[in-house]
Amino acid sequence: MISRLAVFLGSRDGKDPALRDAAYDVGRGLAERGIELVYGAGGAGLMGRVSQGVIDGGGRVYGVIPRFMVEREWGRVEGDAGVQTVVVESMHDRKALMADRAEAFLALPGGLGTLEELFEVWTWQTLLLHGKPVGLFNVGGFWDPLVELMHRIADAGFMDHEKVDALVVGDDLDDVLERLSR
């Protein structure tokens, strides 16, 4: 089983309460399994909910946040037991440190930032820059259109179907974590 999971997800709550609940439940689930959350250190939205779930479950949180976000007070305040926050100079530094620390990557629902982080680590994986698994936590089918698009891209010959099929997709945390651990 993995011991450190990078989670990419929204800095907003979104409109569907099920997504908010799922983010918190994933955090609690990581804590229960002794898996450290590696994330962007946001205190709001789904980011805040997943980290709060880990904290409430007595788990470990490793947040990485750029200085400009700290100055705008966008981050989770360190002080809770098990929370470590690292301040870096740029978004590039943030992603590099998160990628280095994590053993696997999981995207929950989110917006442009979530997609950008997901595609970067997935691209790195396809280029063999790392061998870490990448997945989508597919709450309520949220990621179904993206998975369909990626198959369409493969059908058009712009990527291999094997790369799409290697993406771990599911809505059951135990199942997803097991497949990310292989």
Side-chain angles (χ1 to χ4, degrees):
M1 182 64 70
I2 57 175
S3 61
R4 293 183 310 274
L5 178 67
V7 176
F8 308 133
L9 69 172
S11 60
R12 296 181 182 187
D13 275 332
K15 295 180 179 180
D16 185 350
L19 302 181
R20 296 189 287 271
D21 294 344
Y24 181 85
D25 291 345
V26 166
R28 284 296 294 240
L30 295 179
E32 290 167 4
R33 291 161 181 83
I35 300 171
E36 178 184 83
L37 169 67
V38 177
Y39 86 123
L46 299 186
M47 292 176 77
R49 292 182 187 276
V50 74
S51 61
Q52 192 62 54
V54 174
I55 291 165
D56 290 349
R60 297 176 329 274
V61 175
Y62 185 87
V64 184
I65 188 165
R67 186 169 313 285
F68 81 90
M69 288 185 172
V70 173
E71 291 166 357
R72 294 177 187 174
E73 298 180 356
W74 288 354
R76 172 172 284 289
V77 177
E78 204 172 288
D80 293 301
V83 177
Q84 180 181 359
T85 303
V86 177
V87 179
V88 296
E89 292 306 313
S90 70
M91 292 294 283
H92 294 290
D93 294 338
R94 175 198 218 182
K95 292 183 296 180
L97 184 54
M98 288 174 63
D100 185 54
R101 185 165 183 94
E103 298 170 344
F105 307 94
L106 185 64
L108 274 69
L112 287 176
T114 303
L115 288 170
E116 190 268 337
E117 291 169 320
L118 167 69
F119 280 113
E120 184 163 46
V121 297
W122 193 13
T123 299
W124 292 349
Q125 180 197 57
T126 64
L127 295 173
L128 304 177
L129 297 176
H130 70 75
K132 300 173 183 181
V134 179
L136 300 171
F137 197 69
N138 197 21
V139 181
F142 183 87
W143 293 116
D144 288 348
L146 177 64
V147 173
E148 182 180 325
L149 173 62
M150 300 315 295
H151 280 291
R152 184 172 180 182
I153 290 169
D155 288 344
F158 291 107
M159 72 183 297
D160 297 329
H161 278 284
E162 294 78 26
K163 301 299 184 187
V164 180
D165 295 337
L167 188 65
V168 173
V169 181
D171 62 0
D172 177 83
L173 187 59
D174 285 324
D175 172 60
V176 167
L177 291 173
E178 179 185 323
R179 290 189 289 141
L180 288 173
S181 296
R182 293 183 190 154

